[in-house]
Amino acid sequence: MAQKRKVSGTESTAKSEESGEDASDSGIELNGPFFSSDDGSDLDTEDSTEGFEMTEEEGDEEEPDESDDLLDDSEDDVNLTDEEVEALLSRRRRELGNTIEEEPDTKTYPELEEDEPNYEITTDANGGIRYIYKEIDPVYDSDDSDAPVTKNTIGNIPLSFYDMYPHIGYDISGKKLARPAKGDALDSMLESIEIPKGWTGLMDPATGKPLELSQDELQLLKQIQLDEIPGDGYNPYEPTVEWFTSKVEQMPLSAAPEPKRRFVKSRAERKLIMRIVKGIKEGRIKPYKEPSAEDQEEEEFVPRYDLWANEAPRPDHIMNIPAPKLPPPSHEASYHPPPEYLPDEEEKKEWEEADEEDRKTPFLPRDHSSLRKVGAYAHFVKDVFERCLDLYLAPRVRRSKLNIDPESLLPKLPSVEELRPFPSVSSSIFRGHSGRVRSLDVDPSGQWVATGGEDGTIRVWELQTGHQTWAIKLGADEAVNAVSWRPGHDAFILAAAHAESLYMLIPPLCSPELEEASHTILDAGWGYSSTSSTTTTKKPQYPWIRPSAALSAKQTYTKTTLRSTIKSISWHRRGNYLSTVSPSGQSSAVAIHTLSKHLTQFPFPRLKGLPQTASFHPNKPHFFIATQRTIKIYDLTQQLLLKTLQPGARWLSSISIHPGGDNVLASSYDRRLLWHDLDLDNKPYKTLRYHDKAIRSVAFHPGGFPLFVDASDDGTLQVFHGSVVGDLMENAKIVPLKMLRGHKVTGALGVLDVGWDPGRPWCVSVGADGLGRLWV
Amino acid sequence: MATSSSAPTIPPSSGKQVKIQLTTKQLDIALPEDSGPILVDTSQSLLNLHYALFFGSKTDLTFQISAEKSQRIPFDFLINGAILRTSLDDFLTTNGISAETVLHAEYVPAFVPPKHAASFEHDTWVSSIDVLSSAETKAHQALILSGSYDGLMRVWNTSSQVAATSQYLGDSRFVAATKAARFLSSTRVVSAGMDRVIRLWRFKEGESMTDNSKASVLHEADLQCHNQMVLAMDVQSDKQQLLSASADHTLALWNTDLTTAPVLNSETTTTKRQKRISTPAQIAPLSTLQGHTHHVTGVLFSPHVPNQAYSISSDNTLKTWSLSTESVLDNRPLQDPLYALTALTNMHLLALGSSKGDITMIDPRTSTAMIKVSTVRQAHSNGFVSSLANDPGSQYRFASGGFDGMVKVWDIRSLTSSTMTIDRKLDNDSKGGKVFAVKWDAEVGILSAGEDCKVRIDR
């Protein structure tokens, strides 16, 4: 079959070159490797043709069967095998050639010749329209001038259907083919006549006439039967013409690749393709041969080595500079941009008229309904070229990053060891108070520490050993909220705040001389107050009185009672003045008492905010008042507000002024410790936030050690190194040193007050657990 | 001395062996003849050396010490001046000594840890103790003097009986605790405390050991010059001199011989209070030594140089004073406030205890440039070495008492760890039980006094 097609194809190509598109009508050239294994391929053998549209094609296929039927009838007469008949028929076909092949074409494409109707319209007997078709004149391209052979066109139906008709089918024009004469008349005539030469007794189904074989044909059959060469002129060893070979020819038949238009599926090819596609879909046809069990076994035994198993990614070459990245495309580059990105007519025009270099974008945004419809980008090559040019021509310089070790940016803190001494261990414990201990103060000589507790007692302890040496009970109900020793070594006076009252005490722990001096200091005011009262005849609002006899016997000397509870006491450095703060006292919150005159004054009647604590400047006539949120600094001589510090805390608890006088530490209940440098802003120079809970108290070391400590409700004290340099160019250095743990948190309160030994790096703390601790 | 004919056989052992030459300086336990170097297994610790010594003595027939005695005495072994505390192997590695050299090990009787002998119960904290040796007493029994925080002194005999109690002469308005108490002689006692006055007492013993009815401590004289409490005293009995250290930053030198002592000019004492208590003799100091800038916390007559004394202070310094010229000879700044002082006489060393719990060994003779200090860090964990006492029986040992409630015995040949520890902590609270005073007497043993209101004797 392949051969046959090829022949017809070559002929048709010649024609198609003339008639252009008509090439599809006729020739099918199937020379490709795909079709070379035509019938013999397993595709055909495997499958039935179910599911395919088998229309006219079947006729072609059944052709041999039909002839089989015919041959079967006459099997007795001529002993022909199937093969022989097939060979015979194929030869006949070869002779008949194109007629058979051309036939369907005219049928399938009648519309191509529509311009000229091939029928005439007449009226039939009933007066209706009758189409009379012209005789079909098959076109013959070949030189074959043989007379046309009428052919039965009934197709693949048994001839027995026509047994009751006088005809046996129809020719190409629809004319009936008459049944050949048969029967008695003919028989008799035949019997009278000699049997014609080549008579086979078979009928050619195509014509309905007896099949006659010529002498040559008979000879051929005979030779085939004898396995001989079919004929004299037949050369079985003709030289093969290799049209397409593996060799590279000097002058190839055609160097051009097969044009696509040549590939037009014939029905057979479509069928074939469909079959393949179906096979692929169903999984019968696989792209590769499935490995057999043996192969798999073999594969398992083949040793394999992964050469790149240990390949580590290598860094780029040292001179490699990665190309700078282009910005990613925006919406206007989209195939279907939002309408606002689409240019209107003016913009389009403007873009088109602009010089190529002046255009903002190298393209105009265009809308496509689907990605499929996007055409090729015309400037692709140009753009890529320009990008390459940019990368190549633009000098790229490796910019060295600043290699800064983040550690080096941190301030150089001296090691904790260098900053010794500082308190680090809890040594003595002051046991005795029942209930919380509110306040403490270490006396100027460093031997004694006084504590005031909620049990209304003041206790004086030997600092080093923690031995309670002296105690006094000021009252049962109210707490002793503040105790403070008078500064200086010339007297031994303890000021204590119990409820609304301020007491002056002289504990009997000092030498008699010192005690005498203390008495003198305290007694000086009696005279003054009496004289002043006589001269002005006005009774002071808050008189200083002698306390009750029971307390007087216990070394309590003066008492003055204010309006509300005193929370803190602060002495002036000379020891003649002391200030008290009673936060709820409103206009009389901050009081300044003069010891030598037994005078109580309220110089700050209109203070904004709740005052918390107050303090004298260590060497200037300045006075610090810490209200809830600010620290106000007043000049006492000029009676001026000098400065208002804004620590930024919500509620200050205590302040401490550096002995140098230029730095203030403030602690707040919102867990912050704020260092103010008075030479700088009114904002804190440093905020230390290391505690988990409120900070109750803070204290600078008063005696020359660069230390400060704070006490918090989380039960810890934190010791810091805080050295102030005289040089204005240098800021204070703050180093956290040690966290002192020991106090137990009772009732959400931890350490309530903290103080320093004035001469040694020791601090004392008192807590809500009723204990005092010495830290050395 | 004949060498033994055969090398002593050593029990079968595995591992390295090292040759050790054993010697001693004490004649009573010396081997009668030199056994030569013996082989000792290095992997084991002291057991083997004990064994070697014992074994060596047994094999030698001429050995004179009784086997039982040598069995009972545990030995310490000194190699290159340090006491062997680890296994020999570790010792060799840490000191970089080759195992092939012959080690010269000196064996000395080991320190036998004393056992708790007695406790003298007081009403309050006990701040100081002193011992009068039995040779000086009539009853030939050692007497113990204790000063306590109730301002009293008590004299005890060794059977825990109070022989005599002093009268309270301090301030009536508070209890002036006794901070220091010493025997001046067998008949005189000195005490000082928070009431700033040093008091001399005449002590009269009871007739016998059991009868203390006639024992008494009677007030004799007041030594007045200090403005603050007296923290420490030292006594030089033969010269009848007394040094006191006070919180008023001064030291005072006193003559305790009342016949020659300068009497305080009564005009200077004008206050009523002083007059009231000044019926006995008022003694003025021979001199006051000013130079410290904080509390003087300890004082000691130099055991070698006459008219020289050492003092320590909270201002972190150790000062050497010339008592004749009343001047500072040497000033040694140290790191922390100092609170305890004792002298290791034969070693020419001073042991200093600081507020950080460190014990510093310092040689006061060397110039400041050539200072050689060895320090035990954190000898007492809770701060404050409150007291130090040297062992009268050994030139190397001393005891220390700290606020952590421990009494520790140290040997200067191995200061890395204490030789033994007496735990005086109060049971109810680990923070309590501070030890205020430690005294080591040859006869009585180690005495310690503290917050637990007891004087404890370990012997």
Side-chain angles (χ1 to χ4, degrees):
Chain A
M1 238 173 116
Q3 204 184 354
K4 180 180 79 190
R5 276 182 188 153
K6 202 187 212 167
V7 172
S8 64
T10 46
E11 289 165 353
S12 65
T13 44
K15 182 188 158 196
S16 69
E17 276 162 16
E18 295 165 8
S19 61
E21 282 208 322
D22 290 356
S24 58
D25 298 357
S26 57
I28 306 118
E29 209 174 44
L30 294 172
N31 305 332
F34 184 79
F35 291 102
S36 59
S37 64
D38 203 343
D39 289 340
S41 78
D42 45 358
L43 303 177
D44 265 1
T45 51
E46 258 182 45
D47 190 27
S48 65
T49 56
E50 51 180 24
F52 283 115
E53 286 173 60
M54 302 288 289
T55 49
E56 296 98 330
E57 298 292 330
E58 294 210 335
D60 280 355
E61 288 235 322
E62 289 302 315
E63 214 173 23
D65 296 341
E66 198 181 38
S67 58
D68 270 353
D69 286 354
L70 294 171
L71 287 169
D72 280 344
D73 293 351
S74 59
E75 224 168 23
D76 301 349
D77 305 274
V78 181
N79 249 345
L80 291 175
T81 62
D82 288 354
E83 287 176 9
E84 287 158 16
V85 174
E86 197 148 331
L88 186 69
L89 286 174
S90 69
R91 190 185 152 170
R92 292 277 301 223
R93 265 186 226 123
R94 215 177 299 139
E95 287 171 358
L96 296 172
N98 295 320
T99 50
I100 300 166
E101 288 294 323
E102 297 280 329
E103 205 175 26
D105 288 348
T106 50
K107 262 189 201 171
T108 1
Y109 306 103
E111 68 272 11
L112 291 173
E113 294 147 38
E114 257 175 4
D115 36 353
E116 186 188 326
N118 59 343
Y119 54 83
E120 287 168 6
I121 302 169
T122 52
T123 43
D124 61 0
N126 300 326
I129 296 165
R130 186 183 177 189
Y131 298 93
I132 298 167
Y133 290 88
K134 288 179 192 167
E135 293 254 323
I136 290 168
D137 179 30
V139 185
Y140 297 100
D141 295 333
S142 63
D143 301 308
D144 188 5
S145 58
D146 287 350
V149 182
T150 50
K151 198 187 172 192
N152 195 352
T153 60
I154 56 170
N156 188 20
I157 53 165
L159 275 176
S160 56
F161 287 4
Y162 289 89
D163 282 349
M164 57 190 66
Y165 297 105
H167 57 277
I168 55 160
Y170 306 92
D171 70 355
I172 194 166
S173 306
K175 301 252 167 68
K176 289 172 184 167
L177 292 175
R179 188 183 294 274
K182 216 178 176 181
D184 304 336
L186 200 57
D187 286 341
S188 57
M189 190 193 80
L190 283 176
E191 278 165 13
S192 61
I193 314 166
E194 269 181 46
I195 295 169
K197 237 187 180 177
W199 183 82
T200 58
L202 297 173
M203 190 184 70
D204 187 349
T207 56
K209 286 175 181 162
L211 182 62
E212 284 173 19
L213 295 175
S214 64
Q215 198 58 46
D216 287 350
E217 283 170 340
L218 284 173
Q219 183 65 32
L220 183 69
L221 283 173
K222 211 175 272 176
Q223 278 177 331
I224 287 169
Q225 275 179 325
L226 295 171
D227 277 350
E228 288 176 351
I229 290 168
D232 293 335
Y234 180 77
N235 180 10
Y237 306 109
E238 270 180 301
T240 53
V241 179
E242 286 186 293
W243 296 99
F244 299 98
T245 65
S246 57
K247 288 177 209 160
V248 179
E249 299 286 341
Q250 203 69 21
M251 292 293 290
L253 289 175
S254 165
E258 197 72 7
K260 252 189 180 175
R261 63 172 183 274
R262 293 242 185 97
F263 179 72
V264 178
K265 293 187 285 189
S266 75
R267 273 176 216 89
E269 282 153 5
R270 192 178 70 182
K271 214 168 83 179
L272 182 65
I273 289 167
M274 292 304 283
R275 225 185 274 167
I276 292 166
V277 167
K278 197 173 177 230
I280 290 169
K281 274 184 187 169
E282 288 174 351
R284 281 181 283 100
I285 301 166
K286 303 240 165 64
Y288 52 88
K289 200 178 157 194
E290 274 194 45
S292 66
E294 282 176 21
D295 288 347
Q296 276 178 348
E297 271 176 35
E298 256 177 45
E299 273 184 27
E300 276 169 23
F301 288 110
V302 172
R304 288 195 169 83
Y305 305 99
D306 186 359
L307 290 177
W308 293 276
N310 297 324
E311 192 85 344
R314 264 184 294 181
D316 282 330
H317 187 260
I318 195 161
M319 292 309 290
N320 176 48
I321 301 172
K325 274 180 188 164
L326 289 178
S330 70
H331 287 292
E332 55 191 3
S334 165
Y335 79 94
H336 184 52
E340 61 265 29
Y341 287 93
L342 290 171
D344 54 17
E345 286 304 317
E346 268 183 40
E347 286 171 328
K348 229 182 238 180
K349 204 180 164 196
E350 194 190 349
W351 186 86
E352 276 160 3
E353 283 173 2
D355 262 350
E356 210 169 307
E357 288 167 2
D358 298 339
R359 286 169 183 166
K360 279 178 193 165
T361 51
F363 59 89
L364 267 183
R366 234 189 270 171
D367 194 16
H368 303 272
S369 60
S370 71
L371 196 57
R372 179 165 50 84
K373 295 183 178 165
V374 180
Y377 177 48
H379 302 294
F380 177 74
V381 174
K382 193 175 164 230
D383 278 5
V384 170
F385 172 74
E386 277 179 355
R387 167 82 175 149
C388 290
L389 212 60
D390 280 350
L391 293 178
Y392 171 66
L393 291 179
R396 268 175 284 161
V397 179
R398 185 180 291 272
R399 188 179 295 159
S400 63
K401 280 182 193 163
L402 284 175
N403 280 324
I404 298 173
D405 182 17
E407 291 289 318
S408 69
L409 294 175
L410 291 173
K412 291 271 178 297
L413 287 182
S415 80
V416 169
E417 287 300 312
E418 288 171 21
L419 299 173
R420 284 187 187 284
F422 56 85
S424 53
V425 293
S426 166
S427 181
S428 300
I429 296 173
F430 308 114
R431 293 165 206 272
H433 276 287
S434 56
R436 294 167 189 150
V437 192
R438 277 279 168 192
S439 61
L440 75 94
D441 197 26
V442 183
D443 93 297
S445 73
Q447 288 179 83
W448 313 104
V449 57
T451 58
E454 290 195 350
D455 52 357
T457 59
I458 298 170
R459 289 163 202 261
V460 179
W461 318 74
E462 194 188 357
L463 175 68
Q464 185 207 339
T465 57
H467 182 256
Q468 181 189 320
T469 312
W470 187 75
I472 185 170
K473 196 169 182 83
L474 293 176
D477 305 329
E478 303 278 348
V480 177
N481 279 319
V483 287
S484 183
W485 295 94
R486 184 180 178 272
H489 294 275
D490 57 333
F492 195 69
I493 298 172
L494 177 67
H498 173 254
E500 297 92 33
S501 305
L502 174 71
Y503 291 89
M504 292 289 158
L505 306 109
I506 306 174
L509 302 169
C510 57
S511 67
E513 294 85 6
L514 209 56
E515 204 173 318
E516 203 68 30
S518 310
H519 275 288
T520 316
I521 289 169
L522 283 184
D523 288 343
W526 295 124
Y528 183 86
S529 59
S530 61
T531 51
S532 66
S533 61
T534 49
T535 50
T536 57
T537 66
K538 189 185 166 193
K539 210 182 166 194
Q541 197 184 357
Y542 299 102
W544 290 42
I545 54 166
R546 290 185 193 276
S548 63
L551 285 176
S552 292
K554 295 274 276 175
Q555 311 294 311
T556 316
Y557 286 94
T558 69
K559 174 185 177 181
T560 181
T561 306
L562 304 180
R563 214 184 275 164
S564 56
T565 312
I566 299 169
K567 288 283 185 187
S568 85
I569 300 174
S570 167
W571 283 88
H572 185 255
R573 70 182 184 285
R574 295 246 174 77
N576 194 23
Y577 300 97
L578 79 159
S579 70
T580 58
V581 176
S582 32
S584 53
Q586 291 165 353
S587 66
S588 60
V590 181
I592 292 184
H593 310 266
T594 312
L595 209 60
S596 58
K597 294 177 182 174
H598 285 198
L599 189 65
T600 299
Q601 290 167 297
F602 301 99
F604 307 101
R606 281 182 295 277
L607 196 67
K608 277 181 197 165
L610 284 178
Q612 298 297 310
T613 180
S615 184
F616 286 96
H617 192 280
N619 45 39
K620 287 180 196 160
H622 293 170
F623 190 63
F624 295 75
I625 299 177
T627 63
Q628 209 172 320
R629 289 180 183 228
T630 59
I631 301 170
K632 295 191 163 84
I633 306 168
Y634 294 91
D635 190 325
L636 288 175
T637 51
Q638 298 174 17
Q639 307 198 328
L640 278 176
L641 174 63
L642 290 178
K643 203 170 191 178
T644 304
L645 302 179
Q646 306 275 1
R650 290 207 198 102
W651 198 313
L652 295 176
S653 58
S654 105
I655 57 169
S656 177
I657 297 156
H658 189 267
D662 285 336
N663 296 276
V664 179
L665 264 176
S667 62
S668 78
Y669 290 112
D670 49 358
R671 296 177 291 173
R672 275 184 277 184
L673 189 62
L674 307 131
W675 177 294
H676 278 276
D677 194 331
L678 297 185
D679 293 334
L680 301 176
D681 203 12
N682 59 358
K683 295 275 184 295
Y685 158 65
K686 203 146 214 172
T687 301
L688 308 166
R689 213 178 299 196
Y690 298 125
H691 277 293
D692 297 335
K693 290 197 177 153
I695 303 174
R696 292 255 158 202
S697 177
V698 64
F700 271 113
H701 194 285
F705 287 97
L707 296 170
F708 63 92
V709 65
D710 63 353
S712 165
D713 270 347
D714 57 9
T716 63
L717 297 121
Q718 286 176 358
V719 185
F720 295 85
H721 172 93
S723 61
V724 177
V725 193
D727 188 2
L728 283 175
M729 299 301 289
E730 220 171 314
N731 282 325
K733 186 166 68 178
I734 301 170
V735 186
L737 291 177
K738 181 85 182 172
M739 188 181 268
L740 304 174
R741 295 169 202 274
H743 280 287
K744 287 192 186 73
V745 179
T746 44
L749 295 177
V751 192
L752 297 179
D753 199 7
V754 66
W756 288 97
D757 178 299
R760 290 165 288 198
W762 298 353
C763 68
V764 186
S765 63
V766 289
D769 53 358
L771 298 179
R773 279 172 189 274
L774 169 68
W775 306 89
V776 299
Chain B
M1 277 199 173
T3 49
S4 54
S5 54
S6 62
T9 44
I10 296 295
S13 61
S14 59
K16 270 196 295 187
Q17 293 197 330
V18 70
K19 279 183 183 171
I20 288 187
Q21 173 77 53
L22 289 166
T23 55
T24 187
K25 283 174 185 162
Q26 281 162 283
L27 290 173
D28 54 338
I29 54 162
L31 292 166
E33 56 186 52
D34 191 3
S35 60
I38 56 169
L39 278 171
V40 175
D41 191 350
T42 58
S43 61
Q44 290 176 36
S45 71
L46 304 168
L47 273 177
N48 251 4
L49 276 181
H50 283 294
Y51 188 84
L53 191 62
F54 174 70
F55 196 77
S57 66
K58 286 283 272 185
T59 48
D60 198 334
L61 295 173
T62 57
F63 187 51
Q64 292 298 310
I65 312 173
S66 73
E68 300 132 47
K69 194 179 172 189
S70 68
Q71 265 177 348
R72 286 202 195 121
I73 300 173
F75 290 106
D76 274 340
F77 296 90
L78 284 163
I79 299 171
N80 295 346
I83 291 182
L84 180 67
R85 292 221 183 272
T86 54
S87 76
L88 263 176
D89 215 359
D90 292 345
F91 180 83
L92 295 178
T93 341
T94 48
N95 290 311
I97 302 169
S98 160
E100 290 169 11
T101 54
V102 178
L103 285 177
H104 290 271
E106 184 190 342
Y107 63 94
V108 289
F111 174 65
V112 185
K115 293 197 177 89
H116 181 217
S119 287
F120 299 177
E121 297 282 347
H122 289 68
D123 299 331
T124 54
W125 302 1
V126 186
S127 58
S128 57
I129 27 176
D130 199 13
V131 177
L132 188 65
S133 63
S134 59
E136 294 180 67
T137 60
K138 281 187 271 179
H140 297 290
Q141 193 199 17
L143 288 171
I144 295 152
L145 176 73
S146 71
S148 57
Y149 269 81
D150 52 6
L152 304 180
M153 280 189 305
R154 291 178 179 83
V155 181
W156 307 73
N157 59 20
T158 44
S159 48
S160 309
Q161 284 172 314
V162 181
T165 308
S166 74
Q167 200 189 343
Y168 179 72
L169 293 174
D171 202 312
S172 58
R173 295 164 299 173
F174 74 105
V175 178
T178 308
K179 296 290 280 184
R182 291 288 294 267
F183 279 110
L184 274 177
S185 67
S186 61
T187 56
R188 300 181 78 200
V189 177
V190 63
S191 77
M194 284 187 186
D195 56 356
R196 303 166 295 278
V197 182
I198 303 163
R199 292 197 170 83
L200 290 177
W201 309 77
R202 188 150 292 279
F203 168 65
K204 198 171 161 233
E205 269 183 79
E207 293 300 317
S208 66
M209 265 181 71
T210 48
D211 179 22
N212 289 318
S213 59
K214 289 190 180 170
S216 63
V217 179
L218 293 173
H219 187 212
E220 194 179 31
D222 279 350
L223 313 183
Q224 292 201 350
C225 88
H226 290 301
N227 291 325
Q228 303 281 4
M229 65 166 100
V230 179
L231 297 170
M233 291 189 296
D234 194 33
V235 174
Q236 206 167 28
S237 304
D238 51 342
K239 291 172 113 181
Q240 296 204 318
Q241 275 186 338
L242 176 76
L243 257 178
S244 63
S246 164
D248 63 0
H249 309 183
T250 61
L251 294 106
L253 179 68
W254 311 82
N255 187 351
T256 58
D257 185 359
L258 293 181
T259 54
T260 56
V263 178
L264 193 70
N265 189 353
S266 60
E267 282 172 7
T268 57
T269 61
T270 50
T271 60
K272 276 182 257 173
R273 253 172 256 290
Q274 278 179 329
K275 271 179 186 167
R276 199 178 61 199
I277 55 167
S278 65
T279 34
Q282 302 277 316
I283 309 290
L286 293 174
S287 57
T288 48
L289 308 174
Q290 292 177 341
H292 281 294
T293 56
H294 213 270
H295 307 164
V296 187
T297 52
V299 70
L300 190 73
F301 283 105
S302 166
H304 303 284
V305 189
N307 277 325
Q308 223 179 60
Y310 308 112
S311 71
I312 53 168
S313 164
S314 291
D315 62 6
N316 308 0
T317 57
L318 163 73
K319 285 190 200 298
T320 309
W321 300 87
S322 163
L323 297 177
S324 48
T325 61
E326 301 174 22
S327 58
V328 179
L329 294 177
D330 189 19
N331 185 24
R332 296 282 180 83
L334 282 112
Q335 282 182 331
D336 295 302
L338 301 168
Y339 280 89
L341 169 69
T342 193
L344 298 169
T345 313
N346 291 347
M347 304 301 295
H348 291 281
L349 280 176
L350 289 180
L352 311 173
S354 81
S355 69
K356 286 277 184 209
D358 302 339
I359 296 173
T360 305
M361 311 301 300
I362 199 164
D363 190 339
R365 292 171 304 172
T366 49
S367 68
T368 319
M370 294 174 64
I371 193 165
K372 192 180 174 231
V373 181
S374 61
T375 302
V376 191
R377 293 258 171 231
Q378 297 286 310
H380 289 277
S381 58
N382 200 11
F384 284 119
V385 177
S386 59
S387 179
L388 291 163
N390 57 330
D391 181 5
S394 162
Q395 53 184 333
Y396 303 110
R397 274 192 289 274
F398 63 94
S400 70
F403 275 14
D404 60 350
M406 294 286 186
V407 176
K408 293 183 178 182
V409 177
W410 304 87
D411 193 310
I412 57 163
R413 293 166 295 190
S414 66
L415 277 175
T416 48
S417 62
S418 63
T419 312
M420 68 153 289
T421 304
I422 301 166
D423 192 348
R424 288 178 56 104
K425 274 181 203 154
L426 291 176
D427 291 333
N428 54 357
D429 194 337
S430 62
K431 291 281 184 190
K434 296 190 265 285
V435 174
F436 292 126
V438 173
K439 176 82 183 166
W440 197 332
D441 189 73
E443 234 176 295
V444 182
I446 300 174
L447 297 94
S448 55
E451 197 182 358
D452 56 357
C453 310
K454 284 176 194 167
V455 172
R456 176 178 158 151
I457 298 176
D458 292 84
R459 194 157 35 200

